[in-house]
Amino acid sequence: MNSTDARGRTIVIDADACPVKKETADIARACGVPVMMVSSYAHELRGGEGVDVVHVDNSDQSADLYIANHVKSGDIVLTGDYGLAALVLAKGCHVLSFRGQTYDETNMDMMLEGRHARAKERRRGRHSKGPRPFTAEDRNFFQHKLTKLLNLLQENVQL
């Protein structure tokens, strides 16, 4: 990761399925924080002012592995993947879901256990409905949570 702000913080997006790329870029630009979107070559993404794009191969976990290997403590990672969230939390990153849910040490074990239980059910032939559709309310909540996190982190750095 080349670009970082004065505090060394970057917003890193697991971008293949991210529905809030534009919103993230807009908020980050307003706060002066660079963004890195990591995506497979199957997804056409373009960078812009303050936004770098990294394309990785189409393998199942390539974007996750790239992110896990390149983030540093203090970065903000946006993902819907609990496994990736657990990896980057261990490196000292702040993690939000695309719906604005904070992933942290207090809820990660429960999330990983739930993911494991759902995987066992799928192997038994039982399939769930999947995630509910992404709504405008989800988008607004995400924007609020990201803005709040960035403001909190900027205030703490200035202390």
Side-chain angles (χ1 to χ4, degrees):
M1 267 180 261
N2 296 338
S3 56
T4 57
D5 73 347
R7 291 160 300 283
R9 182 169 291 121
T10 300
I11 297 175
V12 182
I13 305 174
D14 184 3
D16 284 345
C18 178
V20 289
K21 292 185 275 285
K22 181 188 179 317
E23 292 81 359
T24 301
D26 291 345
I27 292 167
R29 195 174 304 112
C31 293
V33 178
V35 174
M36 174 170 284
M37 294 186 196
V38 181
S39 173
S40 72
Y41 283 106
H43 297 85
E44 175 125 3
L45 295 178
R46 298 184 194 278
E49 181 186 340
V51 178
D52 292 328
V53 174
V54 173
H55 284 105
V56 296
D57 67 48
N58 289 331
S59 298
D60 186 30
Q61 300 297 317
S62 293
D64 295 349
L65 290 172
Y66 183 90
I67 292 168
N69 286 321
H70 288 84
V71 293
K72 62 195 172 321
S73 182
D75 284 347
I76 299 168
V77 178
L78 308 180
T79 185
D81 184 303
Y82 300 156
L84 175 59
L87 288 172
V88 298
L89 278 172
K91 294 183 94 173
C93 296
H94 306 275
V95 188
L96 285 179
S97 76
F98 304 137
R99 295 178 194 264
Q101 179 180 8
T102 301
Y103 297 147
D104 59 30
E105 294 78 15
T106 65
N107 61 13
M108 189 49 51
D109 285 343
M110 180 184 69
M111 292 176 162
L112 290 171
E113 287 173 14
R115 180 179 80 162
H116 177 69
R118 288 186 298 277
K120 283 175 42 176
E121 290 298 311
R122 283 192 303 274
R123 283 192 300 272
R124 291 184 183 134
R126 298 182 186 131
H127 297 281
S128 64
K129 294 179 185 179
R132 63 180 169 75
F134 193 79
T135 65
E137 187 176 304
D138 293 327
R139 189 176 308 281
N140 289 336
F141 186 71
F142 168 80
Q143 290 172 303
H144 168 75
K145 292 293 281 199
L146 180 60
T147 301
K148 185 176 177 178
L149 175 61
L150 287 169
N151 287 336
L152 178 69
L153 293 172
Q154 287 176 343
E155 288 172 9
N156 286 339
V157 166
Q158 295 171 359
L159 295 176

